[in-house]
Amino acid sequence: MEPEVAELKQKIEDTLCPFGFEVYPFQSCHLQQLTDPVDQCVAYHLGRVRENLPELKIEVIADYEVHPNRRPKILAQTAAHVAGAAYYYQRKDVEADPWGTQHIAGVCIHPKYGGWFAIRGVVLLPGIEVPHLPPTKPLDCVPKRADRITLLEGFNFHWRDWTYRDAVTPQERYSEEQKAYFSTPPAQRLAFLGLAQPSKDTSSPSPELPFTFRPKKPQNASRARGWVSPSVSPPTSPGP
């Protein structure tokens, strides 16, 4: 890795890694109002990168940001694949796939965490040019055709049961509190954490897990609040 890149990567890691983020550099040419507590937490910590590196021109784009036409500002899974962070498995990765005319969405799998992680954003450094920075290939941790079929079918058709996330044996899974939170429709999440009154709209599907299961509130609400509070270090993978 180029010394300049290594130095910048270390500075950004010093800011983000203590709070559960991972950092992967890549060239941008390789990539063609907040109400959610996790989004607020992510915005806070990503914003600290800009604060801690005032001498640099920095653009931070979170995974939830969209253009006025609602198209995402970044293709998060593509960015993760290009950066070598996680392999983006798509239909084209299955030879002679069995799905006919069905739409099959792709999914990223991390070599350490399987599907138990989230891609939270990118940090762009427009003034930094490293033309010889080589692209990093992600680890193909689901190399067999049959396993890729199982993964993509699990992600597309059986996402409610969480099992597609175990495409590889993960070092860590979400806690039961995290699973309960992300299973809650977005309009109900503040109430779930004890931070607001329940919304009358209980049928809004979750963008991370689009179903309307309303789990019981955890017995220890303060603990549930802790991992989404900007003042508290979240766990390794605070995400959907």
Side-chain angles (χ1 to χ4, degrees):
M1 181 180 295
E2 297 283 339
E4 183 180 22
V5 176
E7 181 181 358
L8 287 171
K9 181 174 183 286
Q10 185 62 56
K11 289 181 178 179
I12 295 174
E13 286 179 336
D14 289 345
T15 299
L16 293 179
C17 290
F19 300 96
F21 294 87
E22 293 185 354
V23 178
Y24 296 86
F26 67 100
Q27 288 194 66
S28 59
C29 66
H30 294 154
L31 180 65
Q32 312 295 324
Q33 158 188 60
L34 297 181
T35 57
D36 183 88
V38 173
D39 289 349
Q40 293 177 13
C41 178
V42 169
Y44 171 82
H45 287 295
L46 290 179
R48 291 183 66 242
V49 174
R50 186 184 293 110
E51 295 172 2
N52 290 352
L53 298 170
E55 71 278 11
L56 296 178
K57 181 180 179 181
I58 294 177
E59 181 180 0
V60 175
I61 305 177
D63 67 308
Y64 52 78
E65 293 188 57
V66 295
H67 292 289
N69 62 2
R70 306 303 297 172
R71 297 181 72 88
K73 289 188 175 181
I74 58 169
L75 299 176
Q77 296 200 105
T78 300
H81 185 99
V82 170
Y87 200 105
Y88 184 24
Y89 291 97
Q90 303 175 70
R91 181 172 186 164
K92 65 182 180 63
D93 295 311
V94 177
E95 184 178 354
D97 75 69
W99 299 301
T101 60
Q102 288 180 291
H103 172 73
I104 300 295
V107 60
C108 274
I109 294 296
H110 192 282
K112 292 182 180 179
Y113 303 114
W116 300 94
F117 78 109
I119 305 157
R120 288 303 182 189
V122 299
V123 178
L124 301 180
L125 306 171
I128 305 299
E129 296 185 6
V130 187
H132 301 297
L133 177 68
T136 302
K137 291 185 178 181
L139 179 63
D140 181 3
C141 47
V142 187
K144 295 182 179 179
R145 177 179 181 273
D147 293 336
R148 292 180 178 181
I149 291 174
T150 299
L151 167 64
L152 291 173
E153 289 187 346
F155 177 67
N156 283 270
F157 308 132
H158 310 292
W159 37 262
R160 292 180 177 87
D161 64 14
W162 304 86
T163 55
Y164 80 86
R165 298 175 185 265
D166 288 329
V168 300
T169 302
Q171 291 187 3
E172 186 177 1
R173 294 181 176 89
Y174 293 173
S175 68
E176 291 304 312
E177 289 171 333
Q178 284 175 285
K179 291 167 69 176
Y181 176 83
F182 289 118
S183 297
T184 302
Q188 302 297 315
R189 289 178 178 176
L190 289 177
F192 175 84
L193 296 173
L195 301 176
Q197 293 296 319
S199 167
K200 292 182 180 180
D201 179 12
T202 60
S203 61
S204 301
S206 164
E208 295 89 5
L209 290 170
F211 63 106
T212 58
F213 170 68
R214 178 68 168 93
K216 296 180 180 179
K217 185 175 180 180
Q219 294 180 350
N220 190 341
S222 63
R223 182 180 173 192
R225 285 195 296 269
W227 60 268
V228 295
S229 169
S231 63
V232 179
S233 299
T236 302
S237 304

